[in-house]
Amino acid sequence: MGAFLRGRDLLTIADLGAEDIWAVLDLAKELKNGREPGMDARRHESKAVALILEKPSLRTRVSFEVACHRLGMHPVILGGSDNVFSRGESVHDSIKTLERYVDAICVRTFEQSKVEEIANLAEVPVVNMLTDEHHPCQGLADLMTIVENFGRLSGLRFAYVGDGNNMANTYLLAGATTGMEVAISCPHGYRPHEAILARAQELALENGGRIELAADPGAAVRDAQVVVTDTWTSMGQEDEHQRRLEAFEGYIVDPELMGLAATDAIFLHCLPAHRGEEVADEVIDAPYSKVFDEAENRLHAQQALLALLLG
């Protein structure tokens, strides 16, 4: 059961092939339903996982802590002045020490290069809990939510409207890997990374998916089964808030825009949401909004991921 994931790192969602993603989603579904086929959760009792939190966190910290608890693992929280980037000791020395104590290292930070540096140093699995460039664990939770609603991924039209940030990058790679039709609509100057777009195009060709860039949000959302957005001003970009509000005018996901989507469309948002900016209250509170299912699925997807990475 997913033995091919044991000992691996997860730095971006592209580190997983379609088979890997389905292994995580299938186990996450069983865990959510209270079944654990082939997995004795107690075998993880002696294991410890370091959670390095350079950014403040609610969903990430709680969902990872609870996931560890349910697996019988011990989470070691390294936040504030305890995180390896703020103590003055070299990252090299901190990680080479830390890996002697724990069985995996999970990192929530700013630059993707920091997660990559830790992965290069550590002999134990390293998981990206979030960077400014990628958010693979949120991507797994979102894919799980989509499967819960449609029973499949391949062939669905997935529309992302907003900033070409870590979520847009993750959706491009996840959708392309799983055979989805991913339409991205971002204002000029806020597109996803060109290298990630190119990689997503390659993956889409390999897996039967399709990547589409649309300047008009309506063109992206039209006939989509899944409509997604994210905050226009992410953590650390507060000084750009007013400029971003002006740049993103017209990109709010409101009832009029959702009216262009498929009749059975769902709405997703990784949270926190800035209501009245990227999403209207009438959308995020609508019956078709699955944002709290999506938030809950962080727990199940990450529990499955840790179980598979640590064997």
Side-chain angles (χ1 to χ4, degrees):
M1 181 187 61
F4 41 86
L5 282 168
R6 186 176 303 138
R8 287 169 52 180
D9 299 324
L10 178 64
L11 308 188
T12 84
I13 197 85
D15 290 334
L16 303 177
E19 185 180 7
D20 304 324
I21 288 173
W22 278 108
V24 175
L25 300 186
D26 289 343
L27 180 55
K29 176 183 175 182
E30 299 297 336
L31 291 166
K32 185 173 184 177
N33 292 335
R35 300 189 297 269
E36 302 164 359
M39 187 182 77
D40 177 5
R42 305 322 326 167
R43 75 185 183 193
H44 299 294
E45 278 182 340
S46 63
K47 294 176 180 172
V49 177
L51 304 181
I52 298 173
L53 300 163
E54 193 179 23
K55 282 186 173 184
S57 173
L58 170 65
R59 281 161 291 279
T60 295
R61 174 173 176 165
V62 175
S63 58
F64 264 97
E65 277 201 65
V66 175
C68 288
H69 171 74
R70 290 191 176 182
L71 288 167
M73 299 176 181
H74 179 68
V76 180
I77 309 299
L78 297 170
S81 60
D82 290 331
N83 88 72
V84 300
F85 304 114
S86 64
R87 300 179 56 255
E89 185 174 346
S90 78
V91 173
H92 174 278
D93 294 352
S94 295
I95 296 302
K96 299 310 290 182
T97 301
L98 198 56
E99 69 176 359
R100 302 294 180 102
Y101 304 143
V102 300
D103 299 281
I105 300 172
C106 303
V107 187
R108 175 181 165 94
T109 185
F110 293 90
E111 298 91 347
Q112 181 72 14
S113 60
K114 290 183 175 178
V115 180
E116 293 171 354
E117 179 184 9
I118 291 173
N120 286 333
L121 291 168
E123 299 295 328
V124 297
V126 173
V127 174
N128 176 359
M129 295 194 291
L130 175 139
T131 66
D132 291 345
E133 198 167 314
H134 294 279
H135 201 352
C137 294
Q138 180 69 56
L140 289 169
D142 293 4
L143 293 177
M144 181 179 178
T145 310
I146 295 167
V147 173
E148 286 178 337
N149 283 274
F150 296 99
R152 63 190 173 99
L153 295 170
S154 179
L156 294 176
R157 182 171 175 81
F158 180 108
Y160 175 85
V161 175
D163 190 16
N165 59 11
N166 52 3
M167 289 314 314
N169 294 335
T170 298
Y171 293 138
L172 281 164
L173 297 170
T177 301
T178 56
M180 299 174 77
E181 181 181 327
V182 183
I184 300 281
S185 182
C186 308
H188 178 71
Y190 295 91
R191 283 166 44 120
H193 292 201
E194 290 301 322
I196 292 172
L197 274 171
R199 179 59 181 146
Q201 295 281 12
E202 292 173 355
L203 289 169
L205 282 174
E206 294 170 11
N207 298 297
R210 194 164 79 88
I211 303 298
E212 175 185 330
L213 291 177
D216 174 17
V221 168
R222 191 174 301 281
D223 299 325
Q225 284 84 21
V226 185
V227 179
V228 188
T229 188
D230 189 13
T231 180
W232 294 340
T233 307
S234 295
M235 200 176 297
Q237 298 172 332
E238 289 78 6
D239 291 345
E240 305 174 22
H241 184 64
Q242 187 56 43
R243 176 159 56 87
R244 284 175 168 267
L245 286 181
E246 295 168 6
F248 284 84
E249 185 177 357
Y251 283 79
I252 184 173
V253 178
D254 58 16
E256 182 179 359
L257 189 64
M258 283 298 299
L260 299 175
T263 55
D264 58 348
I266 62 172
F267 172 77
L268 300 179
H269 190 306
C270 63
L271 301 175
H274 293 74
R275 292 167 176 254
E277 291 187 10
E278 75 271 8
V279 61
D281 285 343
E282 298 91 332
V283 170
I284 197 169
D285 294 329
Y288 54 71
S289 171
K290 305 299 178 186
V291 297
F292 297 110
D293 293 340
E294 178 187 11
E296 178 189 341
N297 286 339
R298 288 287 302 273
L299 168 61
H300 309 300
Q302 291 160 185
Q303 186 180 349
L305 178 70
L306 289 173
L308 293 171
L309 294 182
L310 298 187

